[in-house]
Amino acid sequence: MGNKQGKSPTNTKGGKKYKIDNDVVKQLQESTNFDKVEAKKLYEVFYDLSNGGKEPLNRDRFKEGLTKLESCGLKNLDNSPFGDRLFDLLDTNKDNTVDLQEFISGLSILCKGTAEEKLELSFKAYDIDGNGYITKSELSQMFQQAWISGFKALSYQTNEEVNKDDLNNFSEEMAQIFADGAFSSLDVNGDGKLSFNEFKQFAMSHPKITATLNGSKRDVPITFD
């Protein structure tokens, strides 16, 4: 026989026990784009990372959570070059932590949001100072993170060590070149900054950079799609 209504089952993972609050799972399902199974799995991921829900996620724990999404049947965000920016964007109350609602609501957009929602989130990721526009410097900073992410992944994949200073210098140079080229075509009105509509044309082309290391290549998406 199944559980009586209102009774929360006990979940055991990694030797830790906690009760699954079905009412919370239902609320999360109703307030996001996730179905019941997905909401429950993400609830479990969060509770595993947050000491049974007693602590919100810090930056490192949040990034660890991104590595577990694929096991929940969701889009793999482990390789996103923008983990730090994701944390900042999902931390909506700016307390330097991500709580359960912030975690699941944010991932709902990233994993199952509409194209427009993902475009808006991508724009916010690039708009580092939050003033509603993207400067060439901000574009370059985000491109640099993508290059670094790509080369680090290749280094791990090929077991080839990459000098940190060389990586930073090369990534900065390539990001600047890439940003110069992109900005010249995107800044239609020539005001030195990109509006959402100008950025949208760029993001809708599903842009990516390609990092190469000793013959190996890795494509890194530079927007959320």
Side-chain angles (χ1 to χ4, degrees):
M1 294 181 64
N3 292 313
K4 293 181 180 180
Q5 188 173 5
K7 185 177 180 181
S8 298
T10 299
N11 191 57
T12 304
K13 250 184 175 183
K16 298 178 182 178
K17 292 184 178 181
Y18 57 85
K19 288 186 177 179
I20 296 173
D21 190 328
N22 287 321
D23 289 336
V24 172
V25 172
K26 183 179 179 181
Q27 290 170 6
L28 293 170
Q29 177 193 352
E30 292 174 346
S31 63
T32 67
N33 299 318
F34 294 124
D35 60 31
K36 182 178 180 180
V37 172
E38 292 165 339
K40 181 180 177 182
K41 286 183 177 179
L42 286 172
Y43 176 102
E44 292 172 351
V45 166
F46 182 88
Y47 269 67
D48 283 342
L49 295 170
S50 63
N51 192 22
K54 297 176 183 177
E55 304 164 355
L57 305 184
N58 60 23
R59 197 174 293 269
D60 290 337
R61 287 290 191 179
F62 172 77
K63 289 181 180 179
E64 186 178 344
L66 295 183
T67 70
K68 300 178 181 294
L69 298 185
E70 200 166 20
S71 66
C72 297
L74 299 171
K75 183 176 180 179
N76 179 17
L77 295 173
D78 182 23
N79 295 323
S80 171
F82 308 136
D84 283 318
R85 285 298 292 144
L86 278 176
F87 180 86
D88 294 335
L89 292 172
L90 269 55
D91 175 22
T92 55
N93 64 356
K94 304 306 176 189
D95 65 352
N96 294 315
T97 62
V98 169
D99 62 27
L100 176 63
Q101 185 65 52
E102 291 171 328
F103 182 69
I104 296 186
S105 295
L107 293 180
S108 172
I109 296 175
L110 286 165
C111 297
K112 305 191 72 173
T114 65
E116 191 71 13
E117 287 174 328
K118 292 178 183 179
L119 283 171
E120 290 175 357
L121 194 66
S122 293
F123 182 82
K124 290 177 181 178
Y126 277 79
D127 180 19
I128 296 172
D129 64 7
N131 68 351
Y133 293 93
I134 299 172
T135 64
K136 187 187 293 187
S137 174
E138 289 173 326
L139 201 66
S140 180
Q141 287 181 62
M142 295 297 283
F143 287 169
Q144 183 176 5
Q145 290 305 309
W147 282 104
I148 290 173
S149 173
F151 280 114
K152 283 184 175 179
L154 280 176
S155 176
Y156 179 80
Q157 175 185 323
T158 62
N159 202 29
E160 294 281 345
E161 188 173 348
V162 179
N163 181 275
K164 185 177 180 180
D165 290 336
D166 290 344
L167 172 60
N168 287 334
N169 291 336
F170 179 79
S171 297
E172 183 178 3
E173 180 181 350
M174 292 302 297
Q176 188 61 55
I177 293 171
F178 207 71
D180 286 342
F183 218 84
S184 63
S185 61
L186 295 173
D187 185 17
V188 178
N189 61 5
D191 64 354
K193 55 189 179 183
L194 301 182
S195 65
F196 174 71
N197 285 333
E198 290 172 324
F199 175 81
K200 184 176 181 178
Q201 299 306 310
F202 166 70
M204 288 178 67
S205 67
H206 306 289
K208 60 186 178 184
I209 62 99
T210 302
T212 59
L213 182 65
N214 295 333
S216 297
K217 295 183 179 181
R218 187 176 188 90
D219 291 334
V220 182
I222 47 181
T223 57
F224 304 124
D225 55 23

